C-alpha cells in the first residue's frame, strides 16, 4: 500500500504553507500583467533559502539532499496554489541544474551549482532549435574546436528561464558527419553574459507568464574545454537523462494546477445558489466533481510511482511518458470542467481558473510533446515486450 512517510507529509505541508503565504492573489495577477519573472527573483531566493527550490540536490553544493520524489511533492503544492508562479519558483535552479549534477565534473559542480541553488540565477537547458524540436537527433547549433577551446554558432528557441539564468547548458553538434548524427552531439556550459550570446524573450504567449520563454542566438561564442559538460559526443545521451524528469515534471505541474482548480470549483459549487439550491446539489455537477476527483487520484498514483522510481535511480521511461501523455491531458480536462462549474466567472482572470488552463496547456508541448511520449510507449509495448514494474 502506497503512503507518504511522515517526513514527506511534512515537506508537502511546509511547501503548501509557504505557497499560501507568499503566492498572494495580487502577486499572481501582477505576474500576468507584468513580466512575471522580473518580480519573482526575491521569492526564488527565499524559496531556495528555505530549501524548497533546491531540495533534490546534494548538501555540499547547497541542496537539501533529498530525491526527485520530494522535488515532485514540492512542485505539486507550489502549482496547486500558484499555477505558473509555482512552476517558476519550483524551477528556481533552472531545468538543467540536474544535468550539471548528473554528469558535471567536481570542478563544474562547485562553480555552477551553488549560485543556482541559492537562487542567484538558474541553469537553463537549450536543446530545441527553430528547425529541430521534436527531432533533435541532428542540430544546427555547431561547436567547432578552435583556439584551444570551442566556438559555438546557432540559434536555440523556446528556452525556459533563459533571460534570468546565470548559465545555459547548450546541446551542440560537434561532429556533423557522425552516423547517426546524435552520436556527434556534445553539451556545453555557457555563461549567459558571454560575448556573442543574445537572449530575447518570446512574447506574447498563451500562459506561463511568470516563466520566460526565450530565443538564444550564439554568434561565435568562445568556451574553453572546461565548459564541456559530460563526454564529447555523448551529449544526446546525457540529455535523455533529463527528459525522463521533464516529462514527469510536466505531469506534476499539471496535477497541482488541476488540484487547485478542483478545490476552487468544489468550494464555488457549495456556495453558489441557483433556483434556490446549492449548485452542488445538482446531479450533473455532482458527477462532474466525482469524475474530477477520480482523475486527480489516478494522476497522483501515476505521478508518484514514476517519480518515486526516478528518485531511486531506476526511472522508467514508459511510466514517465504515460505521465506526460495521460496525466497532462486529463488534468487539462479537469481544469476545463472547473471553468465550466464556475460558469462565466471561470472565464474571467479574477478566479484564476482560466490561468491554470493556459499554464497547464504548455506541458502537452514543453519538455517533449505528448505525441512523442505516445510513440515511446507504443515502441516499448509493441516492439520491446515491455512489462510495467509492480
Ligand atoms: C512553454 C515552453 C517551454 C519550453 N522550454 C524549453 C526549454 O527549456 N528547452 C528546450 O530546449 N526546449 C523548450 N521548449 C521547446 C519544446 O521542447 C518543443 O517545442 C517541443 O519539443 C516540440 O518541438 P517543436 O515546437 O519544434 O514542434 P515540432 O517538432 O514542429 O512538432 C509539431 C507537432 O508535430 C508533432 N509530431 C512531430 N513528429 C511526430 C511524429 N513522429 N508522430 C506524431 N506527431 C509528431 C509534435 O508532437 C507536435 O505536436 C519549450 C516549449 C514551450 C512551449
Amino acid at each position: 500500500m502506497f503512503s507518504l512517510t511522515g517526513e514527506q507529509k511534512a515537506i508537502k505541508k511546509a511547501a503548501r504553507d509557504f505557497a499560501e503565504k507568499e503566492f498572494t492573489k495580487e502577486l499572481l495577477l501582477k505576474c500576468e500583467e507584468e513580466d512575471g519573472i522580473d518580480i519573482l527573483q526575491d521569492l526564488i531566493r527565499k524559496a531556495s533559502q528555505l530549501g524548497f527550490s533546491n531540495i533534490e540536490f546534494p548538501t555540499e553544493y547547497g541542496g537539501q539532499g533529498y530525491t526527485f520524489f520530494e522535488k515532485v511533492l514540492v512542485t505539486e503544492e507550489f502549482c496547486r496554489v500558484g499555477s505558473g508562479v509555482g512552476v517558476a519558483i519550483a524551477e528556481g535552479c533552472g531545468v538543467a541544474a540536474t544535468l550539471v549534477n548528473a554528469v558535471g565534473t567536481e570542478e563544474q559542480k562547485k562553480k555552477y551549482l551553488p549560485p543556482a541553488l541559492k537562487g542567484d540565477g538558474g541553469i537553463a537547458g537549450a536543446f530545441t532549435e527553430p528547425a529541430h524540436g521534436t527531432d533533435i537527433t541532428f542540430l544546427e547549433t555547431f561547436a567547432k574546436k578552435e583556439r584551444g577551446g570551442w566556438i559555438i554558432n546557432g540559434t536555440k528557441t523556446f528556452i525556459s528561464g533563459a533571460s534570468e539564468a546565470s548559465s545555459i547548458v547548450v546541446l551542440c553538434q560537434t561532429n556533423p558527419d557522425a552516423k547517426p548524427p546524435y552520436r556527434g552531439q556534445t553539451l556545453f556550459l555557457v555563461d549567459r553574459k558571454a560575448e556573442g550570446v543574445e537572449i530575447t524573450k518570446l512574447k506574447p504567449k498563451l500562459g506561463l507568464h511568470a516563466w520566460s520563454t526565450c530565443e538564444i542566438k550564439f554568434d561565435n561564442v568562445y568556451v574553453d574545454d572546461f565548459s564541456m559538460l559530460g563526454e564529447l559526443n555523448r551529449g544526446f545521451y546525457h540529455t535523455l537523462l533529463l527528459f525522463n524528469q521533464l516529462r514527469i515534471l510536466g505531469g506534476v505541474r499539471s496535477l497541482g494546477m488541476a488540484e487547485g482548480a478542483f478545490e476552487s470549483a468544489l468550494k464555488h459549487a457549495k456556495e453558489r445558489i441557483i433556483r434556490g439550491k446549492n449548485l452542488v446539489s445538482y446531479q450533473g455537477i455532482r458527477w462532474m466533481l466525482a469524475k474530477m476527483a477520480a482523475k486527480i487520484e489516478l494522476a497522483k498514483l501515476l505521478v508518484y510511482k514514476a517519480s518515486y522510481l526516478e528518485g531511486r535511480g531506476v526511472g522508467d521511461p514508459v511510466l514517465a511518458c504515460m505521465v506526460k501523455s495521460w496525466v497532462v491531458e486529463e488534468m487539462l480536462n479537469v481544469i476545463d470542467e472547473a471553468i465550466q462549474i464556475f460558469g462565466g466567472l471561470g472565464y474571467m482572470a479574477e478566479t484564476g481558473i482560466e490561468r491554470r488552463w493556459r499554464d497547464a496547456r504548455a506541458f502537452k508541448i514543453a519538455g517533449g510533446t505528448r505525441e512523442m511520449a505516445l510513440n515511446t510507449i507504443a515502441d516499448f509495448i509493441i516492439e520491446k515486450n515491455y512489462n510495467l514494474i509492480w
Side-chain angles (χ1 to χ4, degrees):
M1 182 83 139
F2 183 80
S3 151
L4 296 183
T5 64
E7 192 179 23
Q8 287 162 346
K9 283 182 192 162
I11 289 171
K12 221 166 177 287
K13 183 176 180 313
R16 187 171 194 167
D17 289 348
F18 174 83
E20 280 176 350
K21 179 164 173 259
E22 302 290 345
F23 307 168
T24 58
K25 194 172 172 185
E26 294 70 37
L27 177 80
L28 302 186
L29 284 171
K30 204 169 166 202
C31 284
E32 288 295 289
E33 285 154 17
E34 293 176 30
D35 210 345
I37 202 65
D38 295 336
I39 51 178
L40 290 179
Q41 291 310 303
D42 286 344
L43 203 47
I44 289 177
R45 270 187 213 105
K46 199 167 180 184
S48 303
Q49 266 165 21
L50 292 170
F52 293 121
S53 304
N54 50 25
I55 189 160
E56 80 277 31
F57 290 94
T59 48
E60 60 263 45
Y61 310 115
Q64 309 305 313
Y66 288 94
T67 73
F68 180 71
F69 183 64
E70 283 78 18
K71 178 194 171 89
V72 159
L73 297 179
V74 169
T75 303
E76 181 188 352
E77 293 305 322
F78 278 14
C79 292
R80 182 201 291 254
V81 183
S83 194
V85 167
V87 178
I89 308 289
E91 291 304 326
C93 307
V95 295
T98 298
L99 264 181
V100 176
N101 188 40
V103 297
T105 61
E106 194 50 37
E107 223 180 337
Q108 286 170 333
K109 290 186 204 180
K110 280 190 180 142
K111 177 176 173 192
Y112 290 100
L113 288 179
L117 270 53
K118 248 195 272 169
D120 289 341
I123 306 175
F127 315 104
T128 307
E129 298 181 355
H132 307 276
T134 306
D135 180 14
I136 54 166
T137 54
F138 179 75
L139 296 169
E140 290 172 78
T141 298
F142 296 101
K144 277 193 188 155
K145 191 89 187 98
E146 257 178 60
R147 288 193 269 142
W150 298 83
I151 304 282
I152 302 176
N153 277 294
T155 302
K156 296 286 181 182
T157 194
F158 307 135
I159 310 307
S160 300
S163 58
E164 57 278 10
S166 55
S167 51
I168 306 154
V169 170
V170 193
L171 184 63
C172 301
Q173 197 73 40
T174 28
N175 178 4
D177 303 321
K179 287 196 177 53
Y182 58 82
R183 290 202 182 144
Q185 295 179 353
T186 307
L187 292 169
F188 291 93
L189 272 155
V190 179
D191 191 325
R192 177 175 65 104
K193 293 190 177 142
E195 207 182 323
V197 174
E198 189 190 321
I199 301 179
T200 313
K201 285 184 196 167
L202 299 173
K203 42 187 191 177
K205 58 179 180 174
L206 183 65
L208 288 182
H209 295 297
W211 207 31
S212 69
T213 309
C214 306
E215 180 181 82
I216 313 176
K217 287 202 165 105
F218 298 89
D219 180 14
N220 284 318
V221 176
Y222 176 80
V223 290
D224 57 19
D225 280 331
F226 169 81
S227 307
M228 185 187 292
L229 181 65
E231 287 176 53
L232 178 67
N233 294 326
R234 296 280 304 165
F236 180 79
Y237 297 97
H238 297 326
T239 302
L240 293 183
L241 295 174
L242 179 66
F243 267 76
N244 238 16
Q245 295 199 358
L246 289 182
R247 288 182 171 127
I248 298 170
L249 285 172
V252 71
R253 291 168 190 156
S254 311
L255 169 65
M257 292 173 196
E259 286 178 281
F262 171 77
E263 285 163 9
S264 302
L266 178 61
K267 183 169 179 288
H268 179 76
K270 283 179 176 174
E271 289 167 3
R272 175 81 165 153
I273 307 287
I274 296 180
R275 291 194 187 187
K277 281 167 42 175
N278 294 101
L279 188 52
V280 83
S281 63
Y282 291 103
Q283 185 76 78
I285 299 292
R286 297 174 75 82
W287 283 5
M288 274 165 81
L289 287 164
K291 286 184 197 169
M292 289 158 78
K295 282 183 183 173
I296 286 172
E297 185 62 19
L298 277 171
K300 199 177 287 224
L301 286 171
L302 195 50
V303 166
Y304 282 12
K305 181 178 176 184
S307 51
Y308 176 76
L309 292 174
E310 182 69 28
R312 290 170 66 102
V314 285
D316 182 329
V318 175
L319 275 180
C321 287
M322 287 178 172
V323 169
K324 177 81 212 184
S325 51
W326 190 84
V327 171
V328 172
E329 180 108 48
E330 290 303 330
M331 294 306 95
L332 261 178
N333 291 338
V334 166
I335 300 170
D336 196 68
E337 293 286 60
I339 294 175
Q340 196 67 16
I341 289 172
F342 268 95
L345 257 186
Y347 203 71
M348 301 294 129
E350 183 198 335
T351 52
I353 307 290
E354 55 81 47
R355 173 164 29 86
R356 288 168 184 277
W357 189 92
R358 288 186 288 104
D359 290 342
R361 184 63 181 81
F363 303 117
K364 266 167 98 168
I365 303 166
T369 64
R370 172 193 57 183
E371 291 69 34
M372 296 318 281
L374 289 171
N375 283 346
T376 302
I377 300 169
D379 287 348
F380 270 85
I381 58 173
I382 297 166
E383 272 98 29
K384 298 184 182 164
N385 220 8
Y386 171 83
N387 283 315
L388 277 173
I389 303 167
W390 269 110

